[in-house]
């Protein structure tokens, strides 16, 4: 590979920050945000796949194991927008892909 | 000196209550899995340090946790509970049909002789088993494949398989209880199941003594006399003398025969404990008095046990899995309430005191008697 080609090629993987609710952080035994590596294009599905790959106890807690669909009481926000009902192949916005903001997994407000 | 470990599941986490055999001074753990519903925590008789916990909530679904050191450390294990084949349908409350859908694990019952083998009773009602310490779970599909399954309907808590009762001498024999289907029995390790509801009568059914559809709340039996099985039904306290094939009522002089929990003394198969609740519409004790009732005669004749329990203005409930016994002599009896109290009697029920007052709503209580 030439130097010129290396300069223009997209990165092989992108670090993506993910902010999770307390219950998922404790389940994954992490504190604060986690960072997962995703191969572009940085889609919603690829990012959640990377999260589950890095933290196996989270499998089934964000997405239904059988259908792959978002669990009903999980909301997904990115760059101030609601991606909860975005398709799996939706690419995440630039602030998340560049690491300026995290992808936010949020438990919906319901009950105490 | 040996110990007692009380494993408590609550609506907001699990707790381990520890004491020596005097059962007078207790340590209460920090919340385990805080913020999650913990329907059941149970230990292996074959390896008392092997514990399993069912952790779930509506946001994040089901997690199974396992401890190999008596609850000091926990690791999430497998949480994939996939029904075998096409799930089919059961009845909803309004009589319409709805697909079987996994919601949570209600009950974890470890095998008596293998800490890696555990039964899981789940909602919607089915029985799963792991043989690798919880890493993977497989359904025993014969139960949900019973010819009556499409007519099973949920009780108020959902269509839950809440009780798994292995035969103490023959691991191929199991009883399973489902709200609101009734009792099913297998004698081939779960491949095939037979209804075991003869003698049950439920007035909420169009045909009260029909073979299936009864809201059985809890079963218990003594290992020395496994053919005798006690039942707290939605209404009625029942007894079987033939391993569940037929039942007769033993409610006797109870102030109410509605209730959820039932258990048997560790050393006397004829001594049984229940906590009467006012009615299916009033889930609190009659007259605001929290009373455990004990029968020394295998039912029918019951005496109230009140010393140390609140006898006025008490409106808590005691749920189906929230009573257990230790195996010391004299036998210790334990129960938890929806008000967050866990009570202990170290003299077979004669005197009670709270171990802890203010836990979240108690869903389950199990006791390990450690050497």
């Amino acid at each position: 590979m030439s130097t010129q080609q290396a300069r223009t090629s997209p990165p092989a993987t992108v670090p993506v920050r993910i902010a999770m609710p307390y219950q998922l952080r404790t389940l994954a035994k992490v504190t604060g945000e986690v960072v997962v590596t995703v191969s572009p294009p940085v889609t919603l599905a690829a990012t959640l796949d990377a999260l589950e790959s890095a933290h196996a106890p989270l499998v089934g807690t964000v997405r239904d194991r059988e259908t792959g669909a978002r669990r009903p009481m999980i909301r997904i926000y990115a760059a101030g927008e609601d991606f909860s009902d975005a398709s799996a192949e939706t690419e995440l916005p630039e602030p998340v892909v560049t690491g300026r903001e995290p992808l936010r997994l949020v438990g919906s407000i319901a009950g105490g | 000196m040996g110990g007692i470990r009380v494993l408590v599941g609550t609506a907001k986490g699990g707790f381990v209550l520890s004491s020596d055999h005097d059962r007078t001074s207790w340590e209460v753990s920090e919340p385990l899995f805080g913020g999650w519903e913990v329907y059941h925590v149970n230990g292996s008789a074959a390896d008392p340090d092997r514990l399993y916990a069912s952790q779930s909530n509506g946001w994040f679904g089901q997690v199974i946790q396992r401890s190999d050191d008596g609850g000091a450390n926990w690791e999430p294990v497998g949480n994939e509970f996939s029904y075998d084949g096409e799930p089919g349908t059961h009845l909803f409350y309004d009589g319409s049909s709805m697909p079987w859908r996994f919601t949570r694990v209600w009950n974890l019952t470890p095998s008596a002789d293998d800490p890696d083998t555990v039964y899981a009773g789940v909602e919607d009602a089915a029985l799963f088993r792991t043989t690798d310490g919880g890493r993977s779970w497989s359904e025993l599909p014969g139960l949900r494949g019973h010819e009556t399954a499409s007519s099973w309907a949920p009780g108020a808590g959902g269509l839950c398989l809440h009780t798994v009762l292995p035969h103490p001498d023959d691991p191929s024999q199991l009883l399973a209880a489902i709200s609101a289907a009734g009792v099913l029995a297998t004698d081939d390790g779960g491949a095939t199941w037979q209804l075991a509801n003869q003698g049950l009568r439920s007035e909420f059914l169009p045909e009260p003594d029909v073979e299936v559809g009864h809201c059985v709340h809890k079963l218990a039996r003594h290992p020395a006399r496994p053919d005798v099985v006690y039942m707290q039904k939605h209404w009625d306290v029942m007894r079987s003398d033939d391993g569940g094939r037929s039942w007769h009522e033993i409610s006797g002089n109870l102030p109410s025969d509605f209730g959820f929990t039932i258990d048997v003394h560790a050393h006397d198969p004829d001594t049984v404990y229940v906590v009467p609740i006012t009615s299916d519409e009033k889930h609190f004790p009659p007259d605001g008095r929290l009373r455990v009732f004990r029968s020394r005669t295998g039912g029918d004749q019951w005496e109230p046990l009140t010393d140390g329990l609140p006898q006025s203005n008490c409106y808590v409930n005691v749920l189906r899995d929230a009573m257990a016994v230790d195996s010391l002599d004299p036998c210790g009896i334990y129960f938890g309430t929806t008000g967050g109290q866990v009570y202990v009697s170290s003299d077979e029920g004669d005197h009670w005191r709270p171990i802890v007052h203010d836990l979240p709503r108690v869903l389950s209580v199990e006791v390990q008697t450690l050497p």
Side-chain angles (χ1 to χ4, degrees):
Chain A
M1 181 184 291
S2 71
T3 305
Q4 183 65 30
Q5 284 175 317
R7 280 201 193 101
T8 57
S9 298
T13 59
V14 172
V16 176
R17 297 161 53 197
I18 301 177
M20 300 187 293
Y22 165 79
Q23 288 95 336
L24 296 186
R25 294 198 307 271
T26 55
L27 186 57
K29 298 186 176 176
V30 298
T31 56
E33 294 176 359
V34 296
V35 177
V36 298
T37 54
V38 183
S39 298
V42 182
T43 64
L44 186 56
T47 304
L48 295 178
D49 287 347
L51 176 66
E52 293 173 355
S53 177
H55 301 281
L58 300 182
V59 177
T61 64
V62 177
R63 298 184 291 184
D64 184 277
R65 271 187 176 274
E66 299 279 330
T67 66
R70 170 182 58 87
R71 290 184 57 81
M73 292 170 71
I74 298 279
R75 306 300 295 272
I76 303 173
Y77 303 147
E81 293 183 37
D82 188 349
F83 280 69
S84 302
D85 292 321
S87 75
E89 298 313 313
T90 300
E91 293 193 33
L92 297 182
E94 184 267 347
V96 172
V97 175
T98 58
R100 281 194 290 119
E101 293 189 21
L103 179 72
R104 297 170 57 210
L105 306 180
V106 177
S108 61
I109 295 298
Chain B
M1 181 179 287
I4 295 290
R5 195 187 284 146
V6 183
L7 309 172
V8 182
T10 82
K12 294 293 181 183
F15 296 84
V16 178
L17 320 179
S18 304
S19 172
D20 60 26
H21 284 181
D22 287 342
R23 297 166 287 187
T24 54
S25 178
W26 292 87
E27 288 185 13
V28 180
S29 74
E30 295 289 315
L32 301 168
F33 331 121
W36 292 71
E37 289 181 303
V38 176
Y39 265 61
H40 203 200
V41 187
N42 209 350
S44 164
D47 176 2
D49 279 342
R50 174 67 65 82
L51 308 181
Y52 295 91
S54 171
Q55 165 190 359
S56 67
N57 68 25
W59 286 263
F60 311 113
Q62 179 68 51
V63 174
I64 300 291
Q65 297 271 0
R66 166 180 151 179
S67 173
D68 293 336
D69 57 9
N73 296 283
W74 294 82
E75 290 292 334
V77 284
N79 65 347
E80 184 168 10
F81 291 87
S82 295
Y83 293 120
D84 185 83
E86 284 297 315
T89 63
H90 61 79
L91 296 184
F92 191 52
Y93 297 102
D94 64 0
S96 62
S97 292
M98 65 180 299
W100 235 270
R101 180 173 172 272
F102 174 81
T103 302
R104 62 172 60 84
V105 172
W106 277 67
N107 179 279
L108 292 165
T109 298
S111 145
D113 50 18
D114 177 11
D116 285 338
T117 296
V118 186
Y119 292 97
V122 313
E123 174 189 354
D124 287 338
L127 185 62
F128 285 76
R129 181 174 58 194
T130 178
T131 57
D132 59 8
R135 291 183 180 84
S136 62
W137 298 87
S138 300
E139 188 185 6
L140 302 177
L143 184 139
R144 195 174 44 81
H146 192 270
E147 60 186 6
T148 64
S150 62
S151 71
W152 299 353
L159 180 61
C160 54
L161 196 165
H162 51 73
T163 303
V164 182
L165 212 55
H167 192 288
D169 304 323
D170 179 359
S172 68
Q173 295 186 46
L174 291 170
L175 296 175
I178 297 168
S179 294
V183 181
L184 290 98
T186 180
D187 58 9
D188 58 12
T192 61
W193 295 79
Q194 301 77 44
L195 293 173
N197 299 316
Q198 187 182 334
L200 303 187
R201 185 175 176 83
S202 299
E203 298 294 340
F204 64 80
L205 293 168
E207 189 180 345
D209 53 2
V210 70
E211 201 174 9
V212 69
H214 301 279
C215 194
V216 174
H217 283 179
K218 193 65 186 173
L219 304 178
R221 68 176 162 199
H222 191 281
R225 212 165 61 191
D227 280 346
V228 176
V229 186
Y230 298 100
M231 171 194 295
Q232 173 67 68
K233 195 162 64 65
H234 192 76
W235 290 99
D236 304 333
V237 179
M238 307 293 291
R239 169 176 170 152
S240 172
D241 292 316
D242 53 14
R245 281 185 287 279
S246 64
W247 299 88
H248 61 277
E249 188 171 1
I250 56 168
S251 304
N253 61 332
L254 288 171
S256 166
D257 59 21
F258 186 89
F260 290 92
T261 196
I262 189 165
D263 214 339
V264 185
H265 188 287
H267 310 299
D268 180 5
D270 284 324
T271 296
V272 190
Y273 298 86
V274 295
V275 182
I277 298 300
T278 304
S279 71
D280 48 1
E281 293 165 322
K282 297 179 179 177
H283 282 190
F284 46 74
D287 306 319
R289 302 169 61 194
L290 183 55
R291 289 174 291 178
V292 176
F293 277 74
R294 177 176 63 198
S295 173
R296 295 284 201 189
T297 57
D300 278 331
Q301 301 164 48
W302 300 87
E303 56 177 325
L305 308 172
T306 61
D307 189 301
L309 299 177
Q311 295 304 297
S312 63
N313 305 321
C314 182
Y315 296 97
V316 298
N317 194 0
V318 178
L319 299 177
R320 71 187 80 221
D321 286 321
M323 179 181 271
V325 302
D326 66 31
S327 59
L328 297 178
D329 189 10
C331 179
I333 319 296
Y334 304 77
F335 72 92
T337 78
T338 54
Q341 300 85 32
V342 179
Y343 290 98
V344 57
S345 169
S346 54
D347 55 8
E348 307 182 340
D350 289 340
H351 304 88
W352 298 87
R353 61 184 176 280
I355 298 175
V356 59
H357 290 274
D358 300 309
L359 296 185
R361 171 185 172 90
V362 174
L363 305 178
S364 63
V365 172
E366 297 286 351
V367 177
Q368 293 182 291
T369 307
L370 306 174

